Every structure is written in C-alpha cells, then in structure tokens.
C-alpha cells in the first residue's frame, strides 16, 4: 500500500487528494494545515494519520518542514497555496521520493533551485496542475521524468522532436469582458470561476489570467522549455487540458472532463492508470470545442509573465511576490481589480532599473 503526506490537506487540492487517496486505498501518514481547524479535526478522525500538524501554531513552520522532509511517505503532495510552500517544497525535494506538485508558486519564484534540488536527491516531481499533467501525459513516452532526466539542462525541444507546448486556459469568469466592465469588480465576483472550484488565491489569479502566466513559468521549469516555445490559447470548455506540438506538425492533446481529482490521481499512480472518480467525456453532448486568442488589453498579467519569463529568475520572483501582495490587497478591498496588473507592472519595472 502506498503512503502519502499531504501538505495543505484542508484546501481545494488537499481535500480532493484525500478523496482520491480513499478511493485508491492509499494510506495518509501525515498531513498539515494552516487554518480551518474544524475540517482538519474531521480529516484527522477519518484518515488517522500518524502525524498531523497545524503550521500556524508556534513552531509550526519548523514542524511543517520536518514533515515534508522526514515523514517517510512514498509520495508528498504539495497543496499549500503561494510562496509559503517554498521551504516545504524544497524540503520535500530532498527526500528522494515522489512529489505530486500542485503548489506552483515555488517553481515560479525559485524554479531552478527546486528542480536542481530534486535532481540532486533523485526526487521525482510529477505535476498535479491540470495543464502540466496534460503535457506530462502527452510527452510521457519521450521523457520518463523531467526532474530525474539525465539530460539535465537540455531543453525538451532539443532531441525530443517537440516544437512547442500549448497551454489551454478557460479564460476565467471575465472572458470576453472589456477593461471598462471590470472597473468595479468585487472579490466575490472575481472568486466565481465557471469551470473549477478552487482556493481564493488561484481563483483571483484565474480571473486576472495571472494563473496562466504562473503556469507558463511553471512549464518552463518542469519541462525545460524556453518561454517562446510555450503558447497560451483560450479554450472555454476546459476539456483539452493542454497540448504538445511535435516537429512534424502533429499535436497530441490530453482531454477529460474538468475534475482535478484526475490529475491528482495520475500524479499518485503514475506510470499506472487506475479507475478514477472522474466522469468520462460525453462527446456528443459536448458538441464542440472552441478556441480563441487571449485578450492582452483586458488581461495584461499574461504578458507581464511572458516578459518576466524572458528576463530571468529575479523578475519571475518579483512578479510572483508582487502578485501575491496585489491579490491580498484586492481581497481586502484595498485596491481595485484593474490595479492588480498595474501593481505587478510597477514592481517588475523597478527590477529592470
Ligand atoms: P487553498 O487555499 O484551497 O488551500 C491551501 C492549503 O494550504 C490549506 O490547507 C491551507 O491551510 C494551507 N496553507 C495556507 N497558507 C499556508 C501557510 N502560510 N503555510 C502552510 N500552509 C498554508 O489552495 P488550493 O486551491 O488547494 O491550491 C493549492 C496550490 O495548488 C496552489 O499553489 C494552487 O495554485 C495550486 N493549484 C490548485 C488548483 C485547484 O484546483 N485548486 C489547480 C491547480 C493548481
Ligand atoms: Mg492549472
């Protein structure tokens, strides 16, 4: 029986991971949470982990890192939100086990360090983010595992006949809107995503499209691809989770009904596939799949992320930091929705001076 450690068990990814673990019969031996004590208590009673810690308590941060590094689980699921997950992710990279990586911000702010540490310790990183899981599935026969890849530093497009990665984006709750229409958006409106039910931070990132910007940088590190070989296309149905274009023009895509429990499960069972909780696609009912170009006027965050990705790790770190601050300010009613990209642009511009 496989054993799991879940960092951030009370969140959207954390709770869905527990569902998947129960369905697969995997044993959860350790879990951590930062808030929502009531849910955490319920989870402890149901899953009876050997270790469970609340990272917001005094000394909690050290305990969180200790669990990430020393729980002994076969798989560590990183489901903390934001940069707060960096130290525990790096600790998990030192285990030589498998990381099922959902927490994307550590890759955005310190991608090279994360990937290098994983390589040094022989730790596998399997993506949970649906787009990256899709790409991982589309290239599976090409590179068994990027974090363990022997061609360190080599780009995926070198020698693997891959010409580009195509990340799909739903477009979020404000797809098709003009800047003017978004002037007075409230946090409540921005938190309402059409296809996914997620934590607050990633929901706002999806509304500004910074989520796709962060995913661009995440993909660069996971798959060693330069930013100009990663394209973003809006696909409102969220059925194609991403695609890989090969040098001969062939495109391989991964499709499924939008349900995070599938990429979570795949990161746990890889290289095997098991029956899952996800409903199969009903193509006839679906009728059609559509695509459109991202709108750079309404959603400048995506361009800001491309710019940071091209500039290098320092700008990426500042982009991520500024975004976390801006999202927090917006959620607390301190800045408007359209000020989020402005805030990030000002901060990353300073980085250029
Ligand atoms: P969430 O806010 O729902 O849950 C976050 C979890 O981390 C909770 O258990 C919380 O208690 C814990 N946490 C919060 N702050 C912490 C801190 N400072 N220290 C330690 N623990 C802390 O978030 P989520 O939506 O589950 O997202 C988790 C990560 O997965 C994010 O990086 C997100 O971008 C990524 N992700 C989420 C989804 C999704 O569908 N929710 C999809 C793809 C990727
Ligand atoms: Mg995603």
């Amino acid at each position: 029986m496989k054993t799991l450690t879940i960092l951030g068990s009370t969140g959207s990814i954390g709770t869905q991971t527990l569902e998947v673990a129960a369905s697969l019969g995997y044993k959860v031996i350790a879990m951590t949470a930062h808030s929502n004590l009531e849910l955490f208590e319920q989870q402890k009673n149901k899953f009876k982990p050997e270790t469970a810690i609340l990272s917001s308590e005094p000394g909690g941060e050290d305990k969180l890192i200790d669990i990430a590094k020393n729980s002994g689980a076969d798989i560590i699921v990183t489901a903390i939100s934001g940069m707060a997950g960096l130290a525990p992710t790096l600790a998990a990279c030192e285990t030589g086990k498998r990381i099922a990586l959902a927490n994307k911000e550590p890759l955005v702010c310190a991608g090279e360090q994360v990937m290098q540490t994983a390589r040094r310790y022989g730790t596998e990183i399997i993506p949970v983010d649906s787009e990256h899981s899709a790409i991982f599935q589309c290239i599976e026969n090409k590179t068994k595992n990027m974090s363990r890849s022997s061609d360190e530093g080599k780009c995926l497009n070198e020698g693997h006949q891959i010409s580009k990665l195509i990340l799909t984006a739903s477009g979020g709750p404000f797809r098709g809107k003009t800047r003017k229409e978004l002037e007075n958006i409230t946090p409540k409106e921005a938190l309402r995503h059409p296809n996914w039910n997620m934590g607050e931070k990633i929901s706002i990132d999806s509304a500004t499209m910074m989520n796709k910007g962060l995913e661009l940088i995440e993909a660069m590190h996971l798959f060693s691809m330069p930013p100009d070989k990663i394209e973003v296309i809006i696909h409102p149905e969220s059925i194609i989770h991403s695609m890989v274009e090969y040098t001969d023009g062939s495109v391989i895509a991964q499709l499924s009904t939008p349900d995070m429990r599938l990429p979570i499960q795949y990161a746990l069972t890889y290289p095997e596939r098991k029956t899952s909780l996800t409903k199969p696609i009903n193509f006839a009912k679906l009728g059609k799949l559509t695509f459109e170009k991202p709108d750079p006027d309404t959603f400048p965050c995506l361009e800001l992320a491309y710019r940071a990705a091209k500039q290098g790790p320092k700008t990426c770190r500042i982009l991520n930091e500024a975004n976390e601050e801006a999202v927090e300010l917006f959620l607390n009613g301190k800045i408007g929705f359209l000020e989020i990209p402005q805030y990030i642009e000002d901060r990353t511009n300073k980085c250029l001076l």
Side-chain angles (χ1 to χ4, degrees), residues 11 21 45 83 100 128 137 148 181 198 202 204 212 233 255:
N45 287 335
M83 280 188 298
V128 166
Q137 295 180 56
R148 272 188 179 170
E181 289 171 294
M198 310 177 287
I202 184 172
I204 301 302
K212 218 43 61 178
I233 186 91
L255 289 73

Side-chain angles (χ1 to χ4, degrees), residues 104 129-131 211-212 215:
K104 65 190 83 177
D129 211 349
S130 55
E131 297 75 5
N211 184 47
K212 218 43 61 178
E215 290 184 353

Side-chain angles (χ1 to χ4, degrees), residues 7-14 16 32-36 55 64 78-82 84-85 102-106 128-131 196-202 205 211 215 260:
L7 309 179
S9 67
T10 52
S12 158
I13 294 290
Q16 294 182 84
T32 80
H34 206 69
S35 52
N36 205 343
S55 48
L64 169 61
T78 62
I80 290 171
S81 170
N103 184 198
K104 65 190 83 177
E105 292 87 350
V128 166
D129 211 349
S130 55
E131 297 75 5
W196 304 99
N197 189 359
M198 310 177 287
E200 286 196 342
K201 195 272 173 177
I202 184 172
D205 287 345
N211 184 47
E215 290 184 353
M260 283 309 294

